[in-house]
Amino acid sequence: SPAQVKALTAEQVKLLSATQLNFMSNAQIQALEVGDVGGMTAAQLKGLGEDQLKAMNKDQITGLSAAQLKVLTPDQISNIDASFIADIAVDKFKALSDKQITKLGDAQVQALTEDQIKSMSASQLKGFTAAQIKLLDSTQIGALSGKQLASFSADQIKALKPEQVSKLDTEQIQALTAKQIQSLEELQVKALEETQIQDLTKGQAKALTATQVDWLSDEQVSWLQDEDLQQLGTAQLKALDVTKLTDTQVKAMKYTQIAALDDTQINALTTDALSAMGAEQVKGLTTAHLTALDDKVKHIDADALSKLSATQIKALTEDGIANLTSDQFAKLGHPNIWWNNLSG
C-alpha cells in the first residue's frame, strides 16, 4: 500500500528492481519520499512508466539530480507535468540533452523560464523543433543571447514567426550569421523594424539576397544606413526600388553602384535624388543613363555636372542640353558642348 511504500527507507528503495518499481501504482509512486526518489539508480528511473512519471509530484521531480534527469528517456521527459518544468533548477536543467529538449511538449516549452533559456547550450538549442520555436513568447525569445541565437540552424531561424523576429534586439540582430540572414523569409524580412534595419552590420547587408532586397518595403529601404547601402552589389541594386532612396542615401552611393543601375532605375530617380548627386555619383552615370535621363539632366547639380567626361557629354540628348541652366552650361564647358554637337 502507499503507507507501506512511504515506510521504506532510501536504501530499501534502491534494492527494488526496475520491474518491481514498474509494478507500483501511481499512488504508491506518489508515496515515495523525495530522498527515496533522489536515490534511485539509472536503471530504476528508466523503468518508470509514462503514467508513473505523470503521477510524480513537484518535490519528487525537482528533487531529481542533474545526473538522474540526464538518464531519463526523451519520452519520459515529455511526461513530466508541465507545471513543474519551471521549478527545475538551472544547474539541473542544463543536463538535458538535445534529444530530451526535442520531446518537450507545448505546455512544457511555454513553461521554460528566462534563466533556463539563458542557460541552454548550443547543443541543447539544436534540439528545438520548428514547432517549439514558434511557441516561445517574447520574454523567452528575449532571453536568448546573441551567441545562442547564432547557434540556430537556418531552418530554426526560418521557424521564427514575424512577430518574434520583430522583437529581436540589437545584440541578437547583429549576431545573425550571413547564412541565417539569407534564410529569412518574406514575412520575416517585412517584419524587421526601423532600429533592426539600422542595426544590420555591413556584412549582413552584403549577405542579403536580391530577393530579400526586393521584399523590403518603402520604409525599410529608407531605413538602410549609408554604409550598409554601399555594400549592395549589382544583383541587389537591380532589385532595389530606387524611388524610395533618400537624398542622403543617393549621395552615399559609390559610382560603381550608380553604374550598376539599369536605365529604368536611373530614369525613375526623383528630382531630389538627382539633385543630391555629387561628383562621385555622376562619375557612375553611363552614356545609356544620360540618354535615358533626357531633359532630367537639368536636375543634377552644376558642380557635379562639371565632372562629366567628354564621352558622357556626347550622350546628352538635344533636350538635355537645351534645358541646362546657364550655370550648368557654363560649368559644363563650351568646348565640350561644341565637341558634343559636332560629334553627334
Side-chain angles (χ1 to χ4, degrees), residues 73-300:
T73 67
D75 284 331
Q76 285 179 310
I77 289 290
S78 70
N79 285 306
I80 292 175
D81 191 311
S83 65
F84 304 158
I85 293 293
D87 294 304
I88 295 175
V90 168
D91 62 330
K92 296 179 182 180
F93 181 79
K94 288 166 65 175
L96 297 181
S97 69
D98 58 330
K99 291 182 174 60
Q100 289 173 314
I101 294 293
T102 298
K103 280 292 188 176
L104 292 177
D106 292 1
Q108 290 176 314
V109 170
Q110 292 172 321
L112 295 176
T113 67
E114 288 183 68
D115 287 338
Q116 288 173 328
I117 288 176
K118 285 178 181 178
S119 75
M120 293 181 77
S121 65
S123 176
Q124 285 180 307
L125 290 168
K126 285 178 182 177
F128 272 143
T129 65
Q132 288 174 319
I133 288 171
K134 291 180 186 299
L135 291 170
L136 298 174
D137 63 27
S138 58
T139 300
Q140 292 172 312
I141 289 290
L144 291 166
S145 68
K147 184 178 180 180
Q148 286 177 307
L149 195 63
S151 73
F152 273 28
S153 68
D155 286 337
Q156 286 177 310
I157 291 294
K158 282 182 182 179
L160 289 169
K161 294 184 293 187
E163 54 265 38
Q164 291 173 313
V165 171
S166 68
K167 299 299 181 183
L168 298 180
D169 62 25
T170 299
E171 181 199 350
Q172 293 171 316
I173 287 289
Q174 295 185 338
L176 294 174
T177 66
K179 187 176 181 180
Q180 289 176 320
I181 288 289
Q182 292 174 341
S183 73
L184 292 173
E185 299 186 325
E186 184 172 4
L187 293 180
Q188 293 175 310
V189 170
K190 290 183 179 297
L192 291 171
E193 301 286 352
E194 180 175 3
T195 54
Q196 294 176 310
I197 294 287
Q198 294 176 342
D199 283 338
L200 292 174
T201 65
K202 290 188 289 187
Q204 290 174 319
K206 189 174 183 178
L208 289 168
T209 67
T211 302
Q212 289 175 316
V213 171
D214 185 52
W215 288 337
L216 293 173
S217 69
D218 297 351
E219 275 192 320
Q220 288 176 312
V221 169
S222 70
W223 294 336
L224 285 168
Q225 300 276 40
D226 295 348
E227 57 266 32
D228 290 337
L229 182 65
Q230 290 173 342
Q231 304 306 309
L232 302 186
T234 300
Q236 294 163 310
L237 289 166
K238 288 187 180 298
L240 190 66
D241 183 354
V242 296
T243 63
K244 307 309 175 187
L245 292 173
T246 66
D247 302 348
T248 303
Q249 288 175 315
V250 171
K251 195 167 185 175
M253 291 178 75
K254 300 174 183 177
Y255 79 90
T256 52
Q257 292 181 303
I258 294 293
L261 299 176
D262 61 37
D263 302 349
T264 303
Q265 288 177 300
I266 286 292
N267 200 37
L269 288 172
T270 65
T271 298
D272 288 340
L274 290 171
S275 299
M277 281 188 172
E280 171 75 9
Q281 291 74 48
V282 166
K283 180 181 176 182
L285 291 172
T286 66
T287 54
H289 288 163
L290 289 163
T291 300
L293 282 173
D294 196 29
D295 64 347
K296 290 182 181 178
V297 170
K298 66 186 177 185
H299 299 303
I300 299 176

Side-chain angles (χ1 to χ4, degrees), residues 295-322:
D295 64 347
K296 290 182 181 178
V297 170
K298 66 186 177 185
H299 299 303
I300 299 176
D301 180 73
D303 288 332
L305 271 183
S306 71
K307 304 301 180 182
L308 286 177
S309 67
T311 301
Q312 287 175 307
I313 291 173
K314 186 177 179 180
L316 294 173
T317 64
E318 291 181 11
D319 283 343
I321 293 173

